[in-house]
Amino acid sequence: MLQNTQRKATISCLHPFLATLSHSHPFSSSPPIPHPTDRTRLLSSIRALETADAAVDFFHRMLTLTPFPRVQDFNLLLGLVAKSGRHAAAVSLVKTLHSLGAGADVCTLNIAVNCLCRMRRTALGFAVLGLMTKIGLEPTLVTLNTIINGLCIEGDVSHALWLVEKMETLGYRCNARTYGALVNGLCKTGDTSGAVECLGKMVERNLEPNVVVYNAILDGLCKRGLVCEALRLFREMGVEPNVVSYNCLIQGLCGGGFGGWREGVCLFNEMVVEKGIAPDVQTFSILVDGFCKEGLVLMAESVVSFMVRTGVEPNVVTYNSLIGGYCSRNRMEEAMRVFGLMVAEGEGRLLSVVTYNLLIHGWCKVKEVDKAMCLLGEMVGEGLEPDVVTWTSLIGGFCEVRKPQAARELFFAMEERGQVPNLQTCAIVLDGLFKCWLDSEAVSLFSGMERSGLDLDIVIYNIMLDGMCKAGKLNDARKLLSCVLVKGLKIDAYTYNIMIKGLCREGLLDDAEDLLRKMEENGCLPNKCSYNVFVQGLLRKCDISRSRKYLQIMKGKGFPVDATTAELLIRFVSANEGDNAFQELLQS
């Protein structure tokens, strides 16, 4: 009795407003609260609560009751709040209960741990685990599994594995939920071999993996391109597959290219005909996307028609895949027709930046930049913010129609709107400026990129080297190549070929030959393009002796002459029919 009186006084101090609450608060959304001695009615009242707010209100009113309700009754209420998704509220109520000395049990603190993990605050879940030990409560396997799952969701799989090892040392025996959480976490971090190892441990311990565990591994293997291994595991599964299992495999087959869609269709038929599993919108969307990426737009259209006939409505992913397929084939009118269909059928509310980006890129590809700009305006009008992909497509479009100044303006407009250009955007702008002979603007922009601290890659430097060589600025190109080597960027045959071509264009054949030799010294073997470019330079300067020498080298290496080299050879032989040297050159 004294303890209840003290608790009552504590409650009044902590929550002054609670003292005014009666068993039936006139402004409460909760039903009248039964007396705690009538436990059946109390539990029925808790179960009858319909909203989280009503449960929170009921909790505070329970705190005023004498005698104080059992902790199990509070746990039922806390569970209702947690299940409604109000995790922060549930944790707050647990803290209130603990601060009042109400004697929280393992179930109470498990609710707190679960909520904290779902809020991605697993570190605080560990703190609750420490509190359990401090107040003499022994954590259950449920407690530890919840924390392991939380760690895996947050990507901290190494810590989760450490905890599993620790708990087994302390005598806890891992169950299917433990391994299921680990498998999911390992697959999400790309460690599929670790996930397969966990699966093996489950089988060794007679813990039957369910279809969810298998699906996680199938998905992980397919995302890493290990589709054969996924198919092998699929055939060895100890449980019946579901639509998710088939979706993972069909996605892996259709997304991998190399005609994998054929096997994907076979699996689809197996799923529907042999297993009697109904495909869902994701199954159909995967097939549509796979066909479109292979350029089989007619087959994609057939899939959409079939899914509609079977009562499955296409979603925004399906429509986007179909739009992407039409755009890749330059069939923009059909792409716009699907776009109009999305709006007409109510999917317009789901129009995303992705949808507009596909269409904008498509119009830019066919050099209809005005239509692309109209879509940009419509997109902004719909409240969607253009992203880097949007701007890059538009900039590339204006470069293609030889409007580099407009492209440059878009580049700076993009920065003004808070979008940071990526390396692809930079490459497109620089290439466009050089193609329109705006060399000084390109060099100026490149200098600005270097000053901004962008981590420029070899693609950017290759564009600069090519532009400088074509503009006859070989000294600048040589200096830039030296800088590239100092930076430690790995240069390949493509970079060397740019320089060899530039040197040959200026008639510096000795320097070009020297660079060809240095390629091998630097561990970069000349390819067929390297030799063809150099031989073309020799032929243009009528250097018959060295032309014959390098054509013989090409023959020895199995490198064929390209169309340009062949044309130059034929031209020289035709112009010098009586010259034996030219005849020998053609024979070589």
Side-chain angles (χ1 to χ4, degrees), residues 31 59 93 104 112 118 200 355 423 457 519 548 583:
F59 173 89
L93 296 182
R118 287 180 179 274
T355 315
L423 292 178
D457 62 7
M519 282 180 73
R548 186 186 296 113
Q583 293 295 334

Side-chain angles (χ1 to χ4, degrees), residues 430-444:
L430 288 172
D431 190 51
L433 290 170
F434 275 122
K435 280 178 179 174
C436 293
W437 306 105
L438 298 171
D439 310 335
S440 58
E441 284 88 340
V443 172
S444 174

Side-chain angles (χ1 to χ4, degrees), residues 169-397:
T169 305
L170 295 170
Y172 291 92
R173 188 165 178 79
C174 297
N175 63 10
R177 285 184 178 273
T178 320
Y179 286 111
L182 287 175
V183 165
N184 192 45
L186 288 163
C187 288
K188 282 183 177 175
T189 56
D191 187 1
T192 48
S193 57
V196 171
E197 190 179 328
C198 273
L199 182 68
K201 286 182 181 178
M202 288 183 78
V203 175
E204 281 175 18
R205 297 185 177 195
N206 294 319
L207 299 171
E208 293 185 8
N210 60 21
V211 71
V212 176
V213 173
Y214 279 109
N215 287 347
I217 299 176
L218 291 175
D219 185 55
L221 289 169
C222 288
K223 280 178 178 172
R224 288 191 62 203
L226 303 171
V227 184
C228 292
E229 288 85 341
L231 285 166
R232 195 177 304 117
L233 177 64
F234 176 73
R235 298 304 177 195
E236 296 170 357
M237 279 170 61
V239 293
E240 281 297 310
N242 60 13
V243 68
V244 177
S245 317
Y246 280 101
N247 285 350
C248 291
L249 293 168
I250 294 169
Q251 174 81 70
L253 289 164
C254 291
F258 309 109
W261 61 268
R262 292 182 178 85
E263 290 181 76
V265 170
C266 289
L267 268 180
F268 176 83
N269 291 331
E270 176 190 306
M271 177 180 80
V272 177
V273 180
E274 295 179 25
K275 297 289 185 180
I277 297 171
D280 59 13
V281 67
Q282 188 180 356
T283 320
F284 288 116
S285 296
I286 290 166
L287 286 172
V288 170
D289 189 59
F291 286 138
C292 286
K293 282 177 179 171
E294 291 284 340
L296 304 169
V297 185
L298 278 175
M299 292 183 74
E301 288 173 344
S302 300
V303 172
V304 174
S305 298
F306 178 72
M307 71 186 288
V308 172
R309 286 200 306 274
T310 56
V312 180
E313 284 297 318
N315 63 11
V316 68
V317 177
T318 323
Y319 284 124
N320 281 349
S321 295
L322 199 53
I323 287 171
Y326 284 130
C327 290
S328 68
R329 311 293 289 179
N330 297 335
R331 292 166 61 181
M332 293 309 300
E333 295 306 325
E334 285 99 327
M336 291 304 293
R337 178 178 57 78
V338 176
F339 178 73
L341 195 63
M342 288 178 74
V343 176
E345 293 191 358
E347 291 290 340
R349 68 187 185 282
L350 297 175
L351 289 175
S352 65
V353 174
V354 174
T355 315
Y356 281 102
N357 282 351
L358 288 166
L359 291 166
I360 287 169
H361 180 71
W363 283 121
C364 287
K365 208 169 75 155
V366 297
K367 300 184 179 181
E368 294 272 11
V369 289
D370 291 339
K371 289 181 178 177
M373 288 300 289
C374 285
L375 277 170
L376 176 68
E378 186 181 318
M379 177 182 177
V380 173
E382 289 289 334
L384 296 170
E385 186 65 31
D387 62 10
V388 175
V389 177
T390 322
W391 295 109
T392 302
S393 295
L394 288 166
I395 289 165

Side-chain angles (χ1 to χ4, degrees), residues 455-461 481 483-492 495:
D455 190 15
L456 303 179
D457 62 7
I458 193 63
V459 175
I460 300 290
Y461 285 106
L481 182 62
C483 290
V484 170
L485 294 169
V486 169
K487 284 176 180 286
L489 285 173
K490 186 175 176 59
I491 61 174
D492 56 14
T495 312

